[in-house]
Amino acid sequence: GDSVTQMEGPVTLSEEAFLTINCTYTATGYPSLFWYVQYPGEGLQLLLKATKADDKGSNKGFEATYRKETTSFHLEKGSVQVSDSAVYFCAPRAYGQNFVFGPGTRLSVLP
Amino acid sequence: NAGVTQTPKFQVLKTGQSMTLQCAQDMNHEYMSWYRQDPGMGLRLIHYSVGAGITDQGEVPNGYNVSRSTTEDFPLRLLSAAPSQTSVYFCASSYGKGNTEAFFGQGTRLTVV
């Protein structure tokens, strides 16, 4: 079945450090790709998305590029802040299918 | 903008009790779903609905029941609560079952003792 692989963490970084969270997936068909973020005590919020190969999604300084050839959608940010501390979920969704969520990566940013 | 509203936010049940978790959305979304979130397991799909009157099972449906009588509401029923159902439950909705984004509620933290 469809699946997502991402590091679970926790990932601990100092403020202003560079962030990469890797995500690879297997999915039926040609999925759209999403990154969701969950702040403590809250539900998931859409962070960014990409709908076709080589598209780059971006939001709040985060970026991810749809790499069809490697089935990857790695999340990056050049300079993290304490307020970025959260759990990040990679999730492909093919047309007509349900979301497939990864286990989530917990990020802690220290001042 | 209300979006997806879940009630209650917290609940403690005794083993064997039943209860209903409420979910309502005001975006006229056709597709609604319920997930449970457990440590180290991400989000797992319990049940989903592609429109009023239509429901289907997800990955972990046992012990849960759903119905969809209106577009707006998608309640999740626990028939006889068990400690294994201690979890955080999220309701989500999206426009159709295409490859569009989902909107999530704030979650219900359920403890079964």
Side-chain angles (χ1 to χ4, degrees), chain A residues 8 30-32 34 36 38 41-46 49 51 87 89 93-104, chain B residues 31 33 35 37 40-43 45 48 57-58 88 90 94-107 109:
Chain A
E8 290 191 39
Y30 196 152
S32 290
F34 301 83
Y36 280 86
Q38 183 182 31
E42 297 185 11
L44 278 70
Q45 304 172 24
L46 178 67
K49 66 179 181 181
T51 57
V87 181
F89 293 90
R93 188 183 194 187
Y95 191 89
Q97 304 296 317
N98 292 303
F99 277 93
V100 179
F101 283 96
Chain B
Y31 180 84
S33 54
Y35 294 87
Q37 183 179 28
M41 305 194 73
L43 274 75
L45 183 64
Y48 65 97
Q57 296 181 352
V88 181
F90 289 101
S94 63
Y95 183 70
K97 200 186 173 186
N99 51 5
T100 55
E101 69 181 272
F103 294 80
F104 283 80
Q106 293 293 294
R109 183 174 292 276

Side-chain angles (χ1 to χ4, degrees), chain B residues 7-34:
Chain B
T7 56
K9 284 188 165 48
F10 302 93
Q11 183 70 50
V12 178
L13 287 180
K14 293 183 178 178
T15 298
Q17 286 185 317
S18 63
M19 80 159 293
T20 299
L21 279 61
Q22 301 292 344
C23 175
Q25 53 91 8
D26 62 359
M27 297 172 282
N28 202 31
H29 285 168
E30 297 173 338
Y31 180 84
M32 296 184 74
S33 54
W34 277 101

Side-chain angles (χ1 to χ4, degrees), chain B residues 49-90:
Chain B
S49 169
V50 298
I54 306 169
T55 63
D56 206 346
Q57 296 181 352
E59 182 184 355
V60 289
N62 292 342
Y64 307 96
N65 210 353
V66 292
S67 60
R68 184 93 179 269
S69 56
T70 67
T71 299
E72 294 78 19
D73 300 299
F74 191 44
L76 177 72
R77 296 182 186 85
L78 278 69
L79 309 172
S80 177
S84 60
Q85 294 179 304
T86 294
S87 187
V88 181
Y89 291 85
F90 289 101

